[in-house]
Amino acid sequence: MTTFVLIHGSWHDGPLWEPVITELEALGHTAYGPTVAGHGKGVDKNVTHDDCVKSIVDYVEANDLADFVLLGHSYGGTVIARLAEEIPERIQRLIFWNAFVPQPGNSLMDEAPPHYRELFTSLAAATDDNTVMLPFPVWREAFIQDADLETATRTYELLSPEPLQPMADKLDLTRFYQSEIPKSYINATEDIALPPGEWGWHPRMSSRLGMYRLVQLPGSHEVMFTNPKLLAAKIVEAGRP
């Protein structure tokens, strides 16, 4: 049995892992899906990346979690990279699932294609709390294109505005790049949330991990909604000793 801690991406919160957690538990494992600070509906969005990391450190300590496999999805990759610096003794393996692995000193925004940087900056500027809501057409065509329209619409309603500041904060990550914690990268082969090619997930992000285990599966950036059973199986494969 393995214990998994699953860190969600932008516009998501912890409860959205429920279908995947159910499948992991059916396979005999234990899984937790905490919500990162500033994420979810109706919460204070005035947070920094450090606040996001601290919220998960606090969650891990409050639940006395140790010897677990830590997974980050998308933006969550930036969080687990920092957690590897803050609580390395508790982490058995890191799994990046179509996740950002920023270069030292970069922010997530530095790693995003120019069209996303421009879009997110302009959307945040139009709000009174510096947040970004992903437009539905981007969600439908680039994030969850393997779903039917009903599923895409239903799941979009579960999303919440994303604080821009944690995506803009520069991350040193010196200690992460020196870490010897084993690493895996899960790549959904139809994930075009980052456009394939120069800005794609794999091998651009995965190659930064040094020695790592690659696990692939068919599906979009949101296969957690469209095929949670397969994703859970691939998480187990990526997390095994």
Side-chain angles (χ1 to χ4, degrees):
M1 186 189 78
T2 302
T3 298
F4 294 94
V5 177
L6 310 176
I7 307 301
H8 60 79
S10 298
W11 304 288
H12 292 54
D13 58 21
L16 299 188
W17 283 113
E18 184 179 346
V20 177
I21 289 175
T22 297
E23 297 293 345
L24 287 169
E25 290 176 343
L27 295 170
H29 304 285
T30 301
Y32 298 84
T35 295
V36 176
H39 292 73
K41 297 179 186 292
V43 303
D44 184 3
K45 301 291 181 176
N46 183 24
V47 294
T48 65
H49 197 278
D50 282 346
D51 294 329
C52 293
V53 173
K54 184 179 184 301
S55 69
I56 303 302
V57 171
D58 291 347
Y59 180 93
V60 166
E61 292 177 346
N63 288 277
D64 196 25
L65 302 179
D67 196 30
F68 55 82
V69 173
L70 179 64
L71 178 145
H73 176 222
S74 198
Y75 159 78
T78 72
V79 176
I80 71 169
R82 285 283 291 110
L83 290 169
E85 297 184 319
E86 297 302 317
I87 51 170
E89 71 285 352
R90 294 178 180 263
I91 301 168
Q92 183 184 113
R93 177 178 284 269
L94 297 167
I95 302 176
F96 293 79
W97 163 37
N98 286 104
F100 286 93
V101 185
Q103 297 276 26
N106 275 2
S107 67
L108 182 150
M109 290 283 275
D110 293 328
E111 302 286 358
H115 70 279
Y116 278 149
R117 290 200 295 269
E118 294 165 9
L119 175 64
F120 295 168
T121 301
S122 63
L123 289 173
T127 69
D128 59 7
D129 60 356
N130 198 36
T131 61
V132 177
M133 189 59 200
L134 189 69
F136 180 76
V138 179
W139 172 256
R140 177 75 188 102
E141 300 300 336
F143 279 64
I144 196 166
Q145 76 276 11
D146 57 342
D148 59 29
L149 180 59
E150 186 280 327
T151 300
T153 303
R154 174 180 55 81
T155 52
Y156 184 74
E157 294 301 318
L158 301 174
L159 306 181
S160 51
E162 177 73 10
L164 182 66
Q165 190 59 50
M167 295 196 287
D169 287 337
K170 305 285 189 180
L171 308 177
D172 180 89
L173 297 182
T174 300
R175 291 175 292 155
F176 166 71
Y177 276 97
Q178 295 170 345
S179 170
E180 296 184 358
I181 299 173
K183 301 170 183 70
S184 298
Y185 202 93
I186 297 178
N187 179 51
T189 52
E190 284 71 53
D191 187 338
I192 57 170
L194 287 186
E198 177 186 2
W199 294 99
W201 296 108
H202 171 70
R204 182 169 74 106
M205 293 295 169
S206 54
S207 65
R208 300 173 181 178
L209 297 177
M211 185 168 61
Y212 72 99
R213 177 185 303 161
L214 176 64
V215 174
Q216 301 199 88
L217 75 161
S220 69
H221 194 62
E222 298 295 334
V223 72
M224 64 190 294
F225 295 129
T226 58
N227 198 342
K229 184 172 185 175
L230 178 60
L231 178 59
K234 294 297 183 177
I235 290 172
V236 171
E237 182 180 342
R240 60 175 168 72

